Amino acid sequence: MAAGTPTDPASEGAHRLSALAEEPVDHRFKGLPPDADGLTVGELTAQRRNLFTDGFTTPVLALSAERLEHNLQLMETYANRHGLAFAPHGKTSMAPQLFHRQIEYGAWGITLAVPHQVRVARAFGIQRVFLANELVDPAALTWVASQLAADPAFQLICYVDSVRGVELMDAALRASGSGSTRPVDVVVELAAGDGARTGVRTETECAAVADAVAATDTLRLVGVAGYEGEVPDATPERVHAWLRRLTALAADFDKAGRFAGAGLDEIVVSAGGSAWFDAVADVFDGIPELSLPVLKLLRSGAYVSHDDGHYHRITPFNRVPEEGALHPAFRLWAQVVSRPSPEQAFVNAGKRDAAYDLDLPFAQVIRSGGEERPATGITVTGLSDQHGWLRTTPEADVRVGDWVGLGLSHPCTSFDKWQLIPLVEADGTVVDYVRTFF
């Protein structure tokens, strides 16, 4: 992407989004039918092939169309019910098609973590970005400044967590010649506690970072933020206590006049991973009236596909079932290629295909002769690069050639391993293909 932005970034982004359908289907994309080579993605989509009977090869990752839709609707409803703006973390999918679906379902914008991800979002017309990281790379800052200068509608907010970082940002932006353009909006990141990840450790240090921002004309302080998922030895009480520190910091900054005279329309207070967004909703509901309206920005991202492991265990909907439930939308289909003994079988999906950084995959269903049945007596015990190791008990009914449907743990790693993911209806009809950019 060039340093500058097109005259109409939204139109250019929409064009690039539609152009994904013009990409040729070929050897780059795992699992797609070999006889689809030469078609475009759009032409293959129009054929509405069946995942199980129309030439797809294993392993192949499928994203449920119905469950994706359910999850998008549920989090839109949740955010609206609790008066939260929503900037889901795009690092989960890195799929511009899903970014736009999330925005269609009410998202304020998209959260991202590193400059490359912002470039992907901008290439596809995303106009609001929350960068949940400090940005001190001069080349990246020069590019951000050029985007802000060329597109008045583009809004980017990023973390600052040290005086040194502020100094580096200011120097890079001044060197880029951005002093006469819009400043970069920043929020002071409050650390989740001693030994946590990034962020300023104390409120006194937060004030020093805010003072450093105020001393520049290249940066503008717009609020405070942090990530409650890093609270050490997290419990509901500890997470609530840290979130109250965060909201109190916003109130203290406002009382001290740190947001005055900056031309702000609102003050940003942001938190929210996928484990504690119920606590965020609780505490943010109690933010006192400030001198400006407050943008209460939630950033949870894993919801879009959810999963069958880690996020299934930690989702706040387990604590508040009356609010609804997310549905795991991924299933990895692999084929049994070896059955060397009654106690063991092997499928042709391994570390190159399945998320395994948090949990091994879960054997859920067997598909044989067009029929599906539960994967009774089958456990995934390990992964090689291209094989999954299955332990089979006497009641396991599985033969070479059967397809095994695997549930996965950790959406981010699942998306990361697949460049083009079939979007599949419950009867197996593939209705779209989701392109990722990692």
Side-chain angles (χ1 to χ4, degrees):
M1 185 170 170
T5 293
T7 303
D8 185 353
S11 296
E12 180 66 19
H15 171 73
R16 284 180 171 152
L17 200 66
S18 64
L20 291 176
E22 300 169 13
E23 194 164 13
V25 175
D26 57 27
H27 59 275
R28 292 171 296 162
F29 304 124
K30 298 188 291 185
L32 300 192
D35 66 358
D37 276 13
L39 299 176
T40 67
V41 172
E43 289 168 341
L44 181 58
T45 301
Q47 292 182 354
R48 294 178 65 84
R49 294 199 186 194
N50 187 281
L51 186 75
F52 306 112
T53 60
D54 287 332
F56 289 84
T57 63
T58 55
V60 59
L61 181 67
L63 182 63
S64 165
E66 294 89 353
R67 291 183 170 209
L68 171 66
E69 187 81 8
H70 167 84
N71 293 343
L72 290 168
Q73 290 178 352
L74 180 62
M75 284 305 292
E76 179 187 31
T77 299
Y78 185 87
N80 288 340
R81 181 184 297 132
H82 292 281
L84 300 169
F86 191 30
H89 211 316
K91 72 173 175 61
T92 297
S93 72
M94 284 308 298
Q97 293 152 282
L98 297 185
F99 293 173
H100 282 275
R101 291 289 302 281
Q102 290 168 308
I103 289 170
E104 288 168 8
Y105 277 87
W108 168 93
I110 298 296
T111 295
L112 296 162
V114 293
H116 162 257
Q117 295 172 358
V118 182
R119 292 182 65 201
V120 171
R122 290 296 287 155
F124 288 91
I126 300 301
Q127 291 293 83
R128 287 175 172 167
V129 169
F130 187 98
L131 183 59
N133 217 335
E134 190 164 41
L135 180 59
V136 295
D137 182 275
L141 284 162
T142 298
W143 177 80
V144 166
S146 73
Q147 296 285 295
L148 292 169
D151 182 6
F154 176 45
Q155 183 175 0
L156 179 137
I157 301 169
C158 77
Y159 281 173
V160 288
D161 87 338
S162 67
V163 172
R164 168 68 172 165
V166 170
E167 292 170 348
L168 289 172
M169 292 179 75
D170 179 49
L173 290 167
R174 283 189 287 106
S176 75
S178 66
S180 60
T181 64
R182 289 194 290 151
V184 174
D185 289 342
V186 297
V187 288
V188 173
E189 182 194 5
L190 177 67
D194 291 337
R197 205 164 61 185
T198 56
V200 187
R201 264 38 185 179
T202 69
E203 282 74 1
T204 299
E205 292 172 294
C206 285
V209 173
D211 287 341
V213 171
T216 76
D217 58 9
T218 57
L219 304 175
R220 181 174 72 159
L221 182 67
V222 299
V224 299
Y227 174 47
E228 76 291 339
E230 282 290 313
V231 169
D233 302 316
T235 63
E237 294 74 21
R238 288 177 178 177
V239 171
H240 277 76
W242 178 82
L243 286 163
R244 286 192 292 269
R245 281 184 62 197
L246 182 69
T247 59
L249 180 64
D252 289 346
F253 276 11
D254 188 49
K255 184 178 180 180
R258 296 188 183 280
F259 303 122
L264 300 184
D265 296 321
E266 58 195 1
I267 297 167
V268 178
V269 182
S270 179
S274 295
W276 296 101
F277 54 75
D278 57 333
V280 174
D282 288 345
V283 176
F284 279 19
D285 185 54
I287 293 176
E289 184 175 346
L290 303 182
S291 61
L292 292 168
V294 177
L295 182 72
K296 303 173 183 178
L297 195 60
L298 181 69
R299 307 193 306 271
S300 313
Y303 81 100
V304 69
S305 68
H306 198 47
D307 75 1
D308 284 292
H310 180 69
Y311 287 100
H312 174 76
R313 292 190 295 270
I314 70 171
T315 176
F317 289 119
N318 292 335
R319 294 187 290 271
V320 286
E322 66 277 8
E323 298 264 20
L326 293 168
H327 295 167
F330 271 137
R331 179 165 282 170
L332 177 64
W333 289 97
Q335 194 167 30
V336 179
V337 293
S338 180
R339 186 82 159 97
S341 74
E343 295 80 29
Q344 198 169 43
F346 291 86
V347 293
N348 63 345
K351 293 179 180 179
R352 306 290 176 148
D353 314 296
Y356 63 93
D357 51 325
L358 297 180
D359 299 282
L360 288 172
F362 309 93
Q364 295 178 321
V365 295
I366 302 297
R367 188 173 182 88
S368 180
E371 300 293 329
E372 253 180 51
R373 61 181 182 273
T376 304
I378 301 174
T379 304
V380 179
T381 59
L383 295 176
S384 302
D385 275 357
Q386 307 291 177
H387 289 91
W389 296 58
L390 307 185
R391 183 176 66 243
T392 54
T393 60
E395 66 265 37
D397 179 14
V398 60
R399 296 175 296 173
V400 171
D402 289 349
W403 283 31
V404 181
L406 301 170
L408 301 173
S409 181
H410 199 183
C412 302
T413 311
S414 300
F415 278 106
D416 188 31
K417 292 179 178 293
W418 294 82
Q419 294 184 62
L420 196 63
I421 304 170
L423 186 66
V424 185
E425 291 183 339
D427 66 356
T429 302
V430 180
V431 295
D432 203 354
Y433 296 83
V434 175
R435 185 73 158 93
T436 65
F437 292 87
F438 284 92

